[in-house]
Amino acid sequence: MTTTLPVPIEFSLPAGWLSAPPDEVGASQAAFVALHPGSSAGFTANITISGEVRADDVTLAQLADRAAARLRQDVGEVEVGRRNELESAYTQVLRLTAPVGGRPVELVQLQVFLAMADVRDERRRAVLEIVLSATTGQFEDLVGDFQAFLKTIRPDEGASR
C-alpha cells in the first residue's frame, strides 16, 4: 500500500520524467514515484519521495545512516560516498549492486533528507526522503534533472486552506 507524505508539498518534474503509481512499480514504501523511461536500458532511473513526522531529536545524518543500513539489509554491500549537511537538509551518495530482473545491476543513489518544521508544534518536524536511483551510466546524465527537481519542492500552501 502506498504511503502518504506527512506534509503537503508541490513540485515540478523535469522534462522526460513521468509519475507512476508507487504500488504498480514495486515502490509501495514511497508516496510518489517518477520514472525516466528514456533511461530504461535494463533499469529505469527513478525518483522516489517518502516521509514521516518525527518528534525526536534524531539528526538527518542519523536518518541517512539508517537508510544506508536498510539498504544493506536488502541488497548487501552498500558503499557510502560523499555526504553533505546543510541547514535543513542532508545528502549522501550511495553505490550498491541490486538484483534487477534476476541479474545484478550496479546502481547509484543520491539521497536527500529534507526537514520541514511543523508550524503548529515546534517539537515536531516532517522529514522527506527524496531519492534518485540510477545506473552509474545514467547517473551523470540525470543528476542535473534531479537537482532541478529538488529546487522546485516547497510546502503546498494551498493544501492547508
Side-chain angles (χ1 to χ4, degrees):
M1 173 188 284
T2 304
T3 61
T4 58
L5 290 176
V7 291
I9 60 171
E10 56 186 16
F11 51 81
S12 298
L13 282 175
W17 290 86
L18 302 172
S19 63
D23 286 333
E24 291 180 23
V25 295
S28 58
Q29 80 290 353
F32 176 81
V33 175
L35 304 175
H36 190 267
S39 67
S40 65
F43 180 80
T44 303
N46 60 80
I47 295 171
T48 59
I49 304 175
S50 58
E52 62 185 342
V53 173
R54 308 236 16 137
D56 56 20
D57 59 357
V58 172
T59 67
L60 295 178
Q62 290 169 320
L63 292 174
D65 287 339
R66 291 177 184 176
R70 276 193 316 271
L71 268 177
R72 282 187 189 97
Q73 285 181 330
D74 292 344
V75 300
E77 187 174 335
V78 172
E79 177 187 329
V80 178
R82 187 185 48 161
R83 292 177 148 187
N84 189 22
E85 189 164 8
L86 305 167
E87 185 175 325
S88 60
Y90 190 89
T91 65
Q92 68 180 0
V93 177
L94 305 177
R95 293 187 175 276
L96 57 128
T97 302
V100 177
R103 63 182 181 82
V105 176
E106 289 186 26
L107 298 176
V108 178
Q109 281 194 350
L110 175 51
Q111 299 180 335
V112 177
F113 299 85
L114 180 62
M116 296 179 165
D118 185 330
V119 294
R120 287 169 274 176
D121 183 351
E122 63 187 40
R123 294 167 297 173
R124 294 171 17 121
R125 64 192 165 131
V127 177
L128 301 180
E129 184 177 343
I130 309 152
V131 180
L132 168 65
S133 298
T135 65
T136 54
Q138 297 163 343
F139 186 79
E140 286 186 31
D141 292 336
L142 298 176
V143 71
D145 282 359
F146 185 63
Q147 291 167 334
F149 169 72
L150 290 171
K151 290 178 184 175
T152 71
I153 296 173
R154 62 192 166 281
D156 183 353
E157 304 294 335
S160 61
R161 294 180 193 160

